[in-house]
Amino acid sequence: MEILYLIIAVIAIIILTTKLKIHAFLALFIISILYGIFAGMPYADIIVSINDGFGGTLGKIGLIIVLGVIIGAFLENTGGAFAIAEKVLKIIGSKRVPTAMGIIGYIVSIPVFADSGFMLLHPLNKSLSKKAKISIAGPAIALGLGLMASHTMVPPTPGPIAAAGILDADLGLVIAFGFPTSIVALVVGIIFAKKYASKTYIEPDVDNTLVAEKEIKDSPGAFKSSIPILVPIVLIVLKSVLNPTRTGLDNGFIEVINFVGEPVISLLIGVLLCLLLPKKLNYDMLSSSGWVGKAIKDAASIILITGAGGIFGKILQNSGIADVLGQTLTEYNMGIFLPFVLAAAIKTAQGSSTVALVTTASIIMPMMSSLGFDSEIQKALVVIVIGAGSAVVSHANDSFFWVVTQMSGMNVKTGYRLFSLGSGLLGLTGAITVFIFYTIFA
């Protein structure tokens, strides 16, 4: 009966967030309570689960999400993202437009939201497509898939961080495996954009491309712009690599690395480095009405959804469904593909990659031991495969689908044929790559 209640709960979350347009936080919160009641949990246990689930989850990752969003805001508003884009173009070559835009999207979406990243880079995309005299379809799909690859599989983007926090995964290992997995998926996505999407001709509209060129001219340098992204990532990975429990090393240097490599400290360092990006630092940028204030408001929704996902997971854990569901699912021997299939189903049904990541992690969390995902490497790979599933498949219920298609001049049918198919291929490639890593390392 518990499994039936879970299925009904997931369907209810999807209906509330898609058909009734109810915020995912309220949907997850309300359904969590209703599930606990129908599953026969004592009321006192439901209250404890709510407090522990929300507080415990956000205690690990709430600050990390906020700091990551602030870094993205500075890169977006100072033009740093454009500076990185220009540098990549010089390396790749402006004639290889789809490849360049895919790589640029991948880099920019590590700190910047995918929707914002596409709007930020679209004028540049149109300008390059016009100069190269090619259809904008190929570069636009490459850009969209590049943004999605890192957005769903590489911390410090909020979704993977949230999933890692819920599953108590080592963030350094998630980054270490997330980069190669997402890069393999990106390569396949770029090939798809070049060989298939680019054959559909759509004339690039270049009315506002001078905005992009102005942004590049006024922005900080590429190296300077990349520092707030690279330094936190390097520190987090170093902490994971030099972990005393793994290496046996224990001295003053290791203690410092363990401190600055803690995600909340490393991302705070990244935020401080962002203060070097503006030509002239205006303290209004740090105010509640400035860049920082807007970033915190943007982060609030993700934080609430993540906290509600933590409540859902804790309710499931304390209801006893973990053992029942774990025993049932292990009989099907889906292994590492189980989290992928679940995330893909939730993403396709309700549209948000972040909600798919959080909800899937919340459902899987109580079953990790019974499904055999016990080691740190296994936990990290589960986070990444959930991220891969959260890319499958972007269509009409996903805001990013409309950003990509409408700004690129695609009709809905073309969007399904190019971007929806491309996002499915991206996610499936990521899942297969994780399976290979799982076979070798886990």
Side-chain angles (χ1 to χ4, degrees):
M1 218 37 203
E2 291 92 342
I3 295 176
L4 177 61
Y5 289 147
L6 176 60
I7 294 170
I8 293 171
V10 172
I11 293 172
I13 290 168
I14 291 167
I15 292 172
L16 288 173
T17 54
T18 56
K19 299 294 183 183
L20 302 180
K21 307 298 182 185
I22 292 174
H23 195 282
F25 163 72
L26 276 179
L28 282 163
F29 189 21
I30 292 168
I31 294 302
S32 296
I33 296 172
L34 291 176
Y35 174 85
I37 292 170
F38 280 99
M41 289 179 66
Y43 296 138
D45 288 354
I46 294 176
I47 298 300
V48 170
S49 299
I50 291 171
N51 292 331
D52 290 351
F54 191 82
T57 301
L58 294 187
K60 297 175 184 174
I61 57 169
L63 283 172
I64 298 173
I65 292 173
V66 172
L67 294 171
V69 173
I70 291 173
I71 292 172
F74 269 85
L75 281 171
E76 186 176 344
N77 287 292
T78 61
F82 267 111
I84 296 170
E86 185 186 40
K87 188 66 176 179
V88 173
L89 279 173
K90 287 181 179 178
I91 296 171
I92 303 299
S94 58
K95 292 184 179 180
R96 299 173 181 170
V97 182
T99 301
M101 293 314 300
I103 294 171
I104 289 168
Y106 179 89
I107 296 170
V108 168
S109 195
I110 293 173
V112 177
F113 288 113
D115 295 48
S116 298
F118 195 93
M119 289 185 280
L120 191 70
L121 296 168
H122 183 59
L124 177 66
N125 187 32
K126 289 193 294 182
S127 178
L128 290 173
S129 299
K130 187 70 174 179
K131 288 176 182 177
K133 297 180 180 180
I134 61 173
S135 167
I136 197 173
I141 296 301
L143 174 58
L145 295 180
L147 289 161
M148 183 173 278
S150 54
H151 179 72
T152 55
M153 289 180 263
V154 182
T157 48
I161 283 179
I166 290 169
L167 298 177
D168 197 26
D170 184 314
L171 205 56
L173 287 174
V174 175
I175 292 172
F177 283 105
F179 268 118
T181 301
S182 57
I183 287 170
V184 171
L186 171 66
V187 169
V188 172
I190 290 173
I191 293 171
F192 171 82
K194 290 171 65 175
K195 301 296 183 182
Y196 179 73
S198 58
K199 291 182 180 179
T200 300
Y201 187 78
I202 300 173
E203 179 71 28
D205 175 11
V206 292
D207 290 344
N208 297 316
T209 54
L210 289 177
V211 175
E213 294 172 5
K214 181 179 181 298
E215 290 286 349
I216 292 174
K217 184 180 178 181
D218 295 341
S219 66
F223 177 73
K224 188 177 181 180
S225 300
S226 64
I227 288 174
I229 308 172
L230 295 177
V231 169
I233 290 173
V234 169
L235 291 175
I236 291 169
V237 171
L238 272 176
K239 178 182 182 290
S240 180
V241 171
L242 300 177
N243 191 321
T245 58
R246 186 180 296 118
T247 62
L249 299 173
D250 190 10
N251 53 50
F253 174 74
I254 298 298
E255 288 182 8
V256 172
I257 291 296
N258 275 331
F259 175 70
V260 297
E262 191 65 31
V264 68
I265 302 299
S266 60
L267 283 167
L268 177 59
I269 292 171
V271 169
L272 295 176
L273 291 170
C274 281
L275 303 181
L276 302 174
L277 297 183
K279 283 189 174 181
K280 182 179 180 182
L281 182 63
N282 185 334
Y283 291 102
D284 287 342
M285 297 172 182
L286 310 179
S287 70
S288 57
S289 60
W291 298 350
V292 171
K294 186 179 182 302
I296 290 173
K297 289 176 183 176
D298 291 341
S301 179
I302 297 168
I303 290 172
L304 288 172
I305 292 170
T306 303
I311 293 171
F312 191 34
K314 202 67 176 179
I315 291 277
L316 292 176
Q317 183 179 16
N318 293 343
S319 71
I321 192 177
D323 295 333
V324 176
L325 197 56
Q327 291 170 5
T328 303
L329 293 174
T330 48
E331 294 175 4
Y332 292 97
N333 199 28
M334 294 178 70
I336 196 69
F337 282 106
L338 172 63
F340 169 78
V341 171
L342 183 57
I346 294 174
K347 160 66 178 180
T348 303
Q350 55 79 43
S352 168
S353 293
T354 301
V355 172
L357 271 154
V358 170
T359 305
T360 305
S362 303
I363 293 171
I364 291 292
M365 183 267 290
M367 302 184 292
M368 291 289 282
S369 294
S370 57
L371 291 172
F373 303 134
D374 295 313
S375 73
E376 291 300 324
I377 289 178
Q378 288 171 330
K379 290 178 184 177
L381 291 174
V382 169
V383 172
I384 299 162
V385 86
I386 290 173
S390 74
V392 180
V393 59
S394 178
H395 62 98
N397 62 4
D398 181 5
S399 63
F400 191 46
F401 172 85
W402 295 108
V403 170
V404 173
T405 56
Q406 296 305 299
M407 294 192 74
S408 305
M410 299 179 195
N411 58 35
V412 176
K413 182 179 178 181
T414 303
Y416 271 90
R417 185 167 57 83
L418 301 184
F419 190 61
S420 297
L421 180 59
S423 65
L425 187 62
L426 182 85
L428 184 59
T429 303
I432 292 171
T433 306
V434 170
F435 174 75
I436 293 170
F437 283 145
Y438 190 86
T439 303
I440 297 171
F441 296 104

